[in-house]
Amino acid sequence: MSTTKILITGATGYIGGSVLGRLLVHPESKSFEIVALVRSAEKAAKISTLGVKTVLGDYDNLALLTELASNADVVFEIVDCDRLPPNEALIQGAKQRFEATGKAPILIHTSGSAFIMDDAHGLHGNHKVYSDLQSDEIEALPDTALHRNVDLAYLKADKEGFAKAYIVTPGCVWGLAKGPLVDLGVQHTQSMLIPYLLKAAIARKQAGYIGLGKNIWPLVSNADTADLYIIVFNAIRKNPDTVGRGRDGFYFAENGEFTMYEAAQAAGKALKELGILDSEEATPFSEEEALKYLGPYWFVFGTNSLSRGERSRAVGWKPVDGKDGFLASIKADLVEILKASPQK
């Protein structure tokens, strides 16, 4: 069996670590030569014990990114869906690989369903539902939409023929990460959106939401998300001509949806149960509070982003974790936050 050279970025991240964990137990893992870009020498040393070659560096070292990608048959990009230069550096490396070998490398990039979000301000849940099979509708999205600047660079590379691009697009990813990198203590275990809400509630001393909290987001567990990367990877290796790529290569990750009011309610309940707040009631943030506690991107918490992963399911993805698990996970997220920053 020939060797497949794989580069993974974000190996210590919430999603990337879970993807790497699955590559390590893949049935064909003995034929993989995996290189992971890691910022910390301490973490790199630990990851090396898993049989992964590590390279110290970060997304500011563009020359290194290009060099690493130029030596890879497959690149899993799981770090940054908004910064264009590092992604362009990886794409340039893929082009060099193509020029040297005559074979287009596989680029599996991570985006996010925020590129279809609206500006509902939490007032309603009326929003177009996008399927990942609707290539024309996705292509018609404005270039200024969140994440699109980077997505378009991958689509351009695919169109020019020197790379094959596939874009995994999760909604709100939830659940504590598990696996060998967590066991080593090198992987981030939590997502961003729900922990942001929880930290805001602790600081504000009350759970909150934007507007009426009626806006809706898709949800998907960390485990199901990581599985999707491997399902797409396997499908490409088995029969690449049948797997959509480029403009037809978006793979939405979702298995249910929730309103921000529901998330805020669950946060309030968890905070009261653990004795952090006296009341579980969730109330709307004022704009001043939203900026103070959620930061400059507070408006995201009031948007709708509705997606359906029909292409994802068509290639064999079978997510199992749904809304009940999501709501229950909010308390587990809170426990992790409190471990890191105990409340007096």
Side-chain angles (χ1 to χ4, degrees):
M1 187 178 295
S2 60
T3 299
T4 300
K5 296 184 176 182
I6 298 172
L7 169 66
I8 182 166
T9 67
T12 62
Y14 175 61
I15 296 175
S18 296
V19 173
L20 177 54
R22 283 157 173 75
L23 287 171
L24 292 172
V25 297
H26 191 283
E28 299 174 18
S29 61
K30 290 184 179 179
S31 69
F32 299 162
E33 183 180 299
I34 303 175
V35 175
L37 178 69
V38 185
R39 288 181 295 179
S40 160
E42 181 182 359
K43 289 184 177 182
K46 291 181 178 180
I47 293 172
S48 295
T49 65
L50 299 175
V52 176
K53 179 182 178 182
T54 57
V55 176
L56 285 177
D58 57 31
Y59 263 37
D60 291 324
N61 192 333
L62 303 184
L64 177 61
L65 291 172
T66 296
E67 178 186 351
L68 292 174
S70 71
N71 290 310
D73 302 309
V74 182
V75 177
F76 286 90
E77 192 289 311
I78 321 179
V79 169
D80 199 316
C81 52
D82 293 309
R83 290 174 60 195
L84 186 57
N87 283 282
E88 286 182 327
L90 291 169
I91 291 169
Q92 180 60 32
K95 187 174 184 179
Q96 292 178 9
R97 180 75 172 175
F98 174 72
E99 291 170 346
T101 66
K103 184 178 179 180
I106 295 164
L107 303 179
I108 302 178
H109 168 63
T110 307
S111 186
S113 69
F115 66 64
I116 58 173
M117 70 183 183
D118 63 10
D119 58 353
H121 297 286
L123 299 178
H124 62 81
N126 301 320
H127 184 57
K128 175 180 171 59
V129 179
Y130 286 83
S131 165
D132 51 11
L133 291 174
Q134 295 173 324
S135 300
D136 291 342
E137 285 85 347
I138 295 172
E139 192 169 60
L141 291 167
D143 293 354
T144 54
L146 203 60
H147 313 326
R148 285 291 283 170
N149 60 328
V150 174
D151 291 350
L152 290 171
Y154 283 92
L155 299 183
K156 183 173 182 286
D158 186 279
K159 188 173 182 179
E160 291 181 4
F162 63 82
K164 297 179 179 179
Y166 309 82
I167 302 179
V168 177
T169 309
C172 174
V173 187
W174 62 271
L176 299 179
K178 299 177 182 179
L181 282 89
V182 173
D183 296 340
L184 287 175
V186 300
Q187 181 182 349
H188 294 292
T189 59
Q190 290 186 284
S191 187
M192 292 179 63
L193 192 144
I194 296 303
Y196 254 101
L197 278 180
L198 287 166
K199 291 174 184 177
I202 293 171
R204 183 180 181 242
K205 303 189 186 316
Q206 189 161 37
Y209 50 88
I210 303 298
L212 301 175
K214 291 184 176 181
N215 55 303
I216 301 170
W217 266 70
L219 57 88
V220 62
S221 72
N222 174 278
D224 284 336
T225 302
D227 286 346
L228 177 57
Y229 286 85
I230 303 303
I231 293 294
V232 172
F233 172 66
N234 288 344
I236 297 165
R237 287 166 59 82
K238 183 177 181 180
N239 197 349
D241 293 338
T242 67
V243 183
R245 60 182 176 84
R247 72 183 297 272
D248 298 318
F250 283 88
Y251 293 85
F252 289 171
E254 54 73 30
N255 195 37
E257 56 194 30
F258 68 98
T259 67
M260 285 297 174
Y261 180 72
E262 289 174 318
Q265 277 188 312
K269 182 179 179 182
L271 285 158
K272 184 178 180 183
E273 288 178 353
L274 293 176
I276 305 304
L277 299 182
D278 294 330
S279 171
E280 65 181 53
E281 181 186 7
T283 61
F285 289 102
S286 67
E287 187 168 328
E288 292 76 17
E289 285 180 322
L291 181 60
K292 178 180 179 180
Y293 297 118
L294 296 172
Y297 289 100
W298 65 267
F299 61 89
V300 172
F301 293 86
T303 63
N304 289 293
S305 177
L306 299 178
S307 64
R308 295 291 182 270
E310 295 176 305
R311 187 185 305 278
S312 297
R313 288 171 172 81
V315 295
W317 184 54
K318 298 177 180 178
V320 297
D321 301 318
K323 185 174 181 178
D324 289 344
F326 163 73
L327 292 174
S329 76
I330 291 176
K331 186 173 182 179
D333 269 324
L334 177 58
V335 169
E336 289 300 303
I337 291 170
L338 296 176
K339 284 180 183 177
S341 302
Q343 302 298 299
K344 295 181 180 179

